[in-house]
């Protein structure tokens, strides 16, 4: 049975002086040296209403107690204590910092200007040396931001950078989120497409090498850009497991895992989600096991640029009709909008459809919408993964 250690990380202070804290759970891998598997960082609930990841971390810990680990795993539920407690009436808000209005998952750090000089300096070093030195450089950058910055940080940056310091120590990062009302889907860097088949998630968004402040990007973009820069200098630096049996190599992958809908905890579904994550961790040689395999399912992928938001053409009350997951034929209605103010002397029902097939992935959480509210997000072009 593995020992799970717990630490309470201080990430800030409230006006009253009350500490903002985050629990950090760690399980050590049993292997050392060349036998050691990749290390993993998993966090949940960066957005306040997206709570299901906490239940998945619970189920993962329950399983991981009994599995031999090759690599270290760090798990952080309630990653954003401000967002988590940000209630208004019966609803949880917590997607945006209420003071600055900035999305809590757009405050992570990556300065692309570090790549070129680093690549020039290390181009002739061993892959192991490049990996260690680049990891140290990224940690040093975060350390500078946190502790050597006389003008200070916003509340959100302080939380984000402390989480990022943990994430940069790992080879694999899983950031557990949910949509509003949503199917399960995965944000996956294009180069890690093969790995997406090991999660039990039917929809994968393939994302390019550009940084917009999210944790997944902040942890994979630096490695991906380093790889491309070294390549341009004539140096191969693979960051994906090569599929030869037993060949581990350097692995750097990050995913945002969208577990379904917000404001919901379902421990049975969380158990299934944990099994899917264990299947991926087994594939990556993090756990010493043969028990976890991805479920057979049709998996669809879509490039990020083809992931489209559909905005409501009118205000009204929405009856969301399209179910998630399966391609919706052209012309079939996604939703109908009720306008009781038009009853009797106008058109009380308005159908919304598109002229090409799409896969609906998520929709707005409320039935009442303004003109221009985001109604659905859909895969507008897709292929089988
Ligand atoms: Zn989220």
């Amino acid at each position: 049975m593995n020992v799970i250690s717990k630490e309470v990380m201080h990430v800030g202070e409230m006006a009253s002086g009350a500490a903002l804290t985050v629990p950090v759970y760690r399980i050590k891998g049993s292997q050392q040296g060349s036998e050691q598997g990749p290390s993993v960082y998993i966090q949940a609930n960066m957005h306040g209403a997206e709570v299901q990841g906490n239940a998945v971390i619970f189920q993962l810990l329950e399983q991981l107690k009994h599995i031999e680990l090759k690599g270290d795993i760090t798990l952080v539920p309630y990653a954003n204590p401000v967002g988590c407690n940000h209630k208004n009436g019966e609803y949880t808000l917590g997607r945006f910092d209420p003071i600055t209005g900035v999305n809590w998952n757009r405050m992570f750090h990556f300065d692309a200007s570090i790549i070129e000089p680093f690549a020039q300096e290390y181009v002739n070093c061993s892959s192991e040396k490049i990996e260690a030195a680049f990891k140290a450089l990224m940690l040093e950058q975060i350390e500078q931001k946190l502790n050597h910055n006389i003008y200070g940080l916003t509340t959100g940056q302080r939380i984000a950078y402390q989480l990022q310091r943990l994430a940069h120590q790992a080879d694999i990062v899983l950031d557990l989120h949910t949509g509003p009302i949503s199917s399960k889907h995965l944000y996956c860097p294009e180069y890690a497409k093969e790995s997406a088949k090991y999660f039990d998630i039917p929809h994968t968004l393939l994302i390019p090498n550009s940084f917009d402040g999210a944790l997944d990007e902040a942890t994979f973009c630096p490695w991906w850009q380093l790889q491309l820069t070294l390549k341009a200098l004539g140096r191969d630096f693979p960051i994906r497991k090569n599929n030869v049996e037993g060949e581990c190599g350097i692995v750097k992958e990050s995913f945002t895992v969208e577990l379904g809908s917000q404001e919901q905890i379902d421990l049975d579904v969380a158990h299934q989600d944990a099994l899917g994550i264990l299947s991926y961790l087994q594939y990556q040689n993090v756990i010493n096991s043969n028990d976890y395999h991805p479920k057979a399912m049709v998996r669809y992928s879509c490039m990020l640029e083809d992931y489209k938001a559909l905005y409501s053409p009118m205000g009204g009350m929405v009856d969301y009709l399209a179910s998630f997951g399966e391609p919706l034929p052209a012309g079939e209605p996604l939703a109908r909008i009720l306008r009781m103010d038009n009853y009797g002397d106008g058109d009380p029902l308005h159908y919304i459809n598109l002229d090409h097939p799409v896969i609906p992935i998520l929709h707005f959480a409320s039935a009442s919408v303004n003109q221009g509210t985001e109604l659905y997000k859909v895969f507008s072009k897709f292929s089988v993964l």
Side-chain angles (χ1 to χ4, degrees):
M1 185 134 158
N2 292 315
V3 177
I4 300 172
S5 73
K6 178 183 175 183
E7 179 200 327
V8 175
M9 184 166 77
H10 283 244
V11 295
E13 287 172 1
M14 303 294 276
S16 65
L20 290 170
T21 61
V22 169
V24 179
Y25 296 93
R26 286 192 175 89
I27 314 177
K28 280 249 159 257
S30 62
Q31 313 275 357
Q32 294 303 321
S34 61
E35 294 297 298
Q36 202 171 2
S39 54
V40 179
Y41 172 79
I42 302 175
Q43 73 172 32
N45 209 178
M46 196 62 203
H47 288 138
E50 304 178 8
V51 292
Q52 175 72 357
N54 300 312
V56 172
I57 286 181
F58 167 78
Q59 295 290 19
L60 277 170
L61 283 168
E62 289 292 291
Q63 299 279 317
L64 288 168
K65 277 193 231 175
H66 310 292
I67 304 171
E68 191 195 339
L69 302 195
K70 293 182 178 177
D72 303 342
I73 305 186
T74 301
L75 304 102
V76 178
Y78 310 136
N80 175 359
V82 183
C84 189
N85 294 307
H86 187 180
K87 304 287 290 190
N88 196 340
E90 63 199 280
Y91 297 106
T92 316
L93 305 179
R95 184 169 183 80
F96 305 97
D97 179 331
I99 295 174
T100 62
V102 180
N103 185 322
W104 289 112
N105 191 27
R106 295 292 181 277
M107 299 188 216
F108 293 91
H109 174 74
F110 170 45
D111 174 8
S113 73
I114 64 171
I115 302 287
E116 183 70 39
F118 178 91
Q120 295 283 356
E121 186 180 345
Y122 285 88
V123 62
N124 294 317
C125 296
S126 68
S127 292
E128 291 69 26
K129 182 147 191 213
I130 293 175
E131 184 197 21
F134 192 63
K135 190 167 161 178
L137 176 61
M138 288 196 297
L139 286 167
E140 170 60 20
Q141 291 245 310
I142 293 298
E143 184 58 30
Q144 286 295 333
K145 286 266 170 198
L146 273 171
N147 295 323
H148 302 278
N149 176 354
I150 56 168
Y151 286 104
L153 297 170
T154 67
T155 308
Q157 285 169 331
R158 184 172 300 281
I159 295 171
Y161 296 164
Q162 291 194 81
L163 298 168
Q164 194 173 348
R165 181 158 59 185
L166 300 178
H168 277 325
Q169 290 167 47
D171 302 306
I172 290 168
V173 173
L174 303 179
D175 191 11
L176 308 182
H177 284 246
T178 78
I181 308 294
S182 178
S183 65
K184 291 181 193 179
H185 55 291
L186 187 69
Y187 284 86
C188 168
E190 284 169 29
Y191 70 83
K193 187 175 169 179
E194 282 306 301
S195 295
K197 297 174 185 168
Y198 290 85
F199 293 88
D200 290 332
I201 295 183
H203 313 108
T204 296
L205 275 158
L206 297 173
I207 51 179
N209 196 355
S210 61
F211 177 66
D212 192 31
L215 177 68
D216 57 350
E217 299 160 348
T219 46
F220 75 67
C221 281
W223 293 103
W224 196 356
Q225 293 193 18
L226 176 63
Q227 180 191 43
L228 296 177
T229 308
L230 286 168
K231 185 114 194 146
L233 297 172
R235 169 67 201 262
D236 248 352
F237 180 67
I239 52 170
R240 273 256 327 139
K241 157 189 173 118
N242 97 36
N243 268 325
V244 181
E245 205 55 51
E247 173 67 58
C248 225
I250 292 169
V251 176
K252 301 292 171 189
E253 291 188 351
S254 306
F255 303 89
T256 297
V257 185
E258 302 277 347
L259 293 161
S261 302
Q262 65 191 21
E263 297 275 30
Q264 282 181 16
I265 289 283
D266 185 323
L267 282 161
D268 297 329
V269 173
H271 178 69
Q272 294 301 316
D273 293 330
L275 297 181
I277 289 171
L278 289 168
S279 149
Y280 168 72
L281 296 183
Q282 176 180 300
Y283 161 71
Q284 288 291 19
N285 258 316
V286 178
I287 59 176
N288 193 8
S289 163
N290 239 324
D291 299 339
Y292 302 96
H293 301 285
K295 286 191 186 135
M297 63 174 76
V298 182
R299 290 176 173 78
Y300 293 99
S301 70
C302 169
M303 305 302 283
L304 190 64
E305 64 188 12
D306 297 321
Y307 187 42
K308 300 286 192 197
L310 173 69
Y311 299 99
S312 184
M314 61 196 294
M317 305 286 146
V318 185
D319 179 5
Y320 297 97
L321 296 173
S323 49
F324 299 133
E326 288 305 308
L328 181 77
E332 289 284 311
L334 280 140
R336 54 188 167 188
I337 299 185
L338 176 66
R339 282 289 295 261
M340 281 311 294
D341 54 315
N342 288 340
Y343 192 81
D345 58 356
D347 191 359
L349 282 181
H350 185 93
Y351 282 80
I352 311 267
N353 51 49
L354 290 164
D355 66 358
H356 56 275
V358 296
I359 302 180
I361 298 295
L362 58 84
H363 68 65
F364 194 57
S366 166
S368 65
V369 301
N370 298 327
Q371 186 175 35
T373 296
E374 184 181 293
L375 274 186
Y376 270 94
K377 284 185 101 167
V378 300
F379 285 9
S380 71
K381 291 180 191 159
F382 48 87
S383 49
V384 172
L385 188 70

